[in-house]
Amino acid sequence: MRGQEPRSTSSCAACKLLKRRCTPNCIFAPYFRSDEPKKFAKVHKVFGDSNVSKILIEVPEEERGDTVNSLAYEAEIRLRDPVYGCIGAIALLQRKMIQLQHDLALARACLAWYTSAIGSTDDDRVITEPFGGLSADCG
Amino acid sequence: MASSSSYNSPCAACKLLRRKCMPGCIFAPYFPPEEPQKFVNVHKIFGASNVTKLLNELLPHQREDAVNSLAYEAEARVRDPVYGCVGAITFLQRQVQRLQKELDAANADLIRYACNDISTSLPQAPGTRSFQPLTPRNRLAEFNRRNIDNEGGGFYQVPGALPYSFPWNDTSSGDINDGGGEGGM
């Protein structure tokens, strides 16, 4: 590999992959730097350069950075999981959230019991635990 | 004009692409003609060619799920061209982080209360007290203070930037299963 670039201007990662001249107003250039070839390769494989170009043209310029990053993320996930892609990630997070909500409700119920039991006593704390001691239900 | 010998009507894909829907059309099982919008979205975002390649790489029994997930992602991207379904992932990650933080706090409180129960219910040997027992009123006050500091007893707002790093760079860090290495899932 030659260490020196023969061209006066370096092509963006998109134009390098597509083997075309990178024009000054290349729509990909600001978001697919030449030192990040994998980013565009993944986006190109999943969405195609034509579709990405159309999406970028449709969004305001100030939002194109976020658009490209979300496309890159989506492409990455799809390549890792070709069947479910981001939907698998969403399903996993939803399950996690439901589990945490359940655990939190349980913990708070135990805390509520503690605070009510504590509040009903003065100095001598005679607490009758409802679960037979420090069971798993109350941590 | 599309006509097929084995099918009554061409599938939605072949209708849109204006081609003959052959008996072995890879799209036909998943893009029925009565659901034209499904393929319109998928074609707009992913492209028929890319979808064909992806489906050909999968086993037949995986293709229906793949098409449905592609359709979902495509629809999300059409509705939100900037973030697509990644917006939903971001939201859920924040929720998970918030809930985990609240659960950790609640469990910490439980442990403290439980330890205080043990330490105060057992006879105290001189010089062996390892916990500083709270009076009942102080316990309640501290519990309420913690929840007030957390903005009303439960809704913890994650300020500022995203809690998880995204694989924006080529190092492909930030596996969602790792939660970006920070909060975790």
Side-chain angles (χ1 to χ4, degrees):
Chain A
M1 295 288 289
R2 301 283 170 86
Q4 295 178 347
E5 291 287 340
R7 299 187 182 91
S8 58
T9 58
S10 60
S11 298
C12 69
C15 292
K16 272 188 181 176
L17 183 74
L18 299 172
K19 296 180 183 176
R20 65 187 191 191
R21 181 185 294 272
C22 191
T23 59
N25 57 351
C26 171
I27 196 169
F28 297 124
Y31 317 108
F32 295 103
R33 300 195 314 265
S34 57
D35 58 343
E36 294 180 320
K38 289 184 186 176
K39 185 177 177 182
F40 183 77
K42 290 171 186 172
V43 169
H44 176 62
K45 181 164 183 175
V46 174
F47 297 99
D49 63 291
S50 170
N51 292 335
V52 173
S53 175
K54 289 176 193 171
I55 291 172
L56 289 179
I57 288 171
E58 285 178 359
V59 302
E61 190 170 348
E62 62 271 16
E63 293 183 328
R64 287 178 184 169
D66 285 346
T67 304
V68 164
N69 287 336
S70 73
L71 287 169
Y73 184 84
E74 205 170 318
E76 169 90 26
I77 300 297
R78 178 59 65 173
L79 290 172
R80 289 186 189 186
D81 184 356
V83 179
Y84 296 105
C86 282
I87 309 309
I90 290 173
L92 189 71
L93 285 166
Q94 284 177 332
R95 282 198 297 272
K96 178 75 178 180
M97 195 173 74
I98 290 169
Q99 181 63 48
L100 284 170
Q101 285 171 336
H102 172 265
D103 293 345
L104 184 60
L106 207 60
R108 284 180 171 166
C110 289
L111 275 171
W113 173 80
Y114 264 113
T115 52
S116 64
I118 291 168
S120 65
T121 63
D122 290 328
D123 293 328
D124 292 328
R125 298 172 47 251
V126 180
I127 299 176
T128 57
E129 288 125 353
F131 304 118
L134 292 175
S135 68
D137 287 337
C138 279
Chain B
M1 189 175 295
S3 62
S4 60
S5 57
S6 303
Y7 296 90
N8 293 329
S9 62
C11 70
C14 292
K15 265 189 180 178
L16 183 72
L17 299 173
R18 296 181 185 178
R19 66 187 191 191
K20 186 173 183 177
C21 191
M22 303 299 289
C25 173
I26 196 168
F27 294 125
Y30 316 110
F31 295 102
E34 56 270 10
E35 293 179 43
Q37 194 60 41
K38 185 178 178 183
F39 185 77
V40 166
N41 291 339
V42 168
H43 178 55
K44 179 178 180 179
I45 301 302
F46 296 101
S49 165
N50 289 336
V51 175
T52 300
K53 289 179 198 169
L54 186 139
L55 292 180
N56 279 328
E57 289 174 359
L58 298 175
L59 298 172
H61 70 276
Q62 296 174 314
R63 289 174 183 167
E64 185 174 5
D65 285 345
V67 165
N68 288 336
S69 69
L70 287 168
Y72 184 93
E73 282 185 37
E75 184 176 352
R77 183 63 66 173
V78 167
R79 289 185 186 184
D80 183 356
V82 179
Y83 296 106
C85 66
V86 178
I89 292 176
T90 305
F91 172 79
L92 287 169
Q93 284 179 329
R94 287 182 175 177
Q95 293 299 310
V96 164
Q97 189 191 38
R98 173 183 65 82
L99 288 167
Q100 186 66 62
K101 196 168 185 106
E102 290 180 21
L103 182 61
D104 291 343
N107 284 335
D109 282 337
L110 274 174
I111 290 170
R112 285 197 314 114
Y113 280 116
C115 289
N116 279 328
D117 282 350
I118 293 171
S119 65
T120 55
S121 62
L122 293 175
Q124 294 288 339
T128 58
R129 178 177 294 183
S130 60
F131 296 101
Q132 193 173 11
L134 299 172
T135 64
R137 287 185 181 178
N138 288 344
R139 285 189 183 122
L140 279 174
E142 185 170 356
F143 178 72
N144 288 331
R145 178 188 60 78
R146 181 190 287 272
N147 282 279
I148 290 171
D149 287 345
N150 282 345
E151 299 182 16
F155 193 73
Y156 180 83
Q157 295 283 354
V158 179
L162 294 173
Y164 293 96
S165 62
F166 279 69
W168 302 139
N169 52 30
D170 282 327
T171 56
S172 298
S173 60
D175 189 333
I176 51 149
N177 293 322
D178 297 332
E182 292 293 333
M185 282 172 28

